[in-house]
Amino acid sequence: IHRSHYRRSQRKISERNRKIFEAIKIGRKKVETRAATVRYKDIIVGDRVMFTCGKDCIERKVGRVTHFA
C-alpha cells in the first residue's frame, strides 16, 4: 500500500498504565499491539501514532506492521 500522505491515529493510555506510557516515551517499549479492529487495521509503516496519558502526549512513527491470522 502506498500513500502520499501518512495518517495519524491516537492511542489513549490510562493514568493507571502510566509506566507503559513512560516506557514508550523513553524508548524502552518499542512494540505496541492492537487487535485488528476497524480503527487499527489500516495502519501502515510510516503512519504516526499519538499516545496520550493524562495531559502528556508523544508521537511515534510506525516502523513495522504485522498482521496475525
Side-chain angles (χ1 to χ4, degrees), residues 19-64:
K19 287 182 182 180
I20 293 171
F21 177 83
E22 293 298 329
I24 293 168
K25 184 177 177 179
I26 65 172
R28 190 177 331 134
K29 183 175 182 352
K30 298 178 185 232
V31 175
E32 177 65 10
T33 58
R34 299 284 103 207
T37 61
V38 172
R39 182 175 182 180
Y40 299 110
K41 71 179 181 74
D42 292 331
I43 290 177
I44 64 170
V45 171
D47 283 354
R48 306 291 288 186
V49 178
M50 181 176 291
F51 295 91
T52 59
C53 184
K55 293 182 180 181
D56 298 323
C57 66
I58 54 173
E59 188 174 277
R60 295 293 182 259
K61 183 178 177 182
V62 175
R64 185 176 70 188

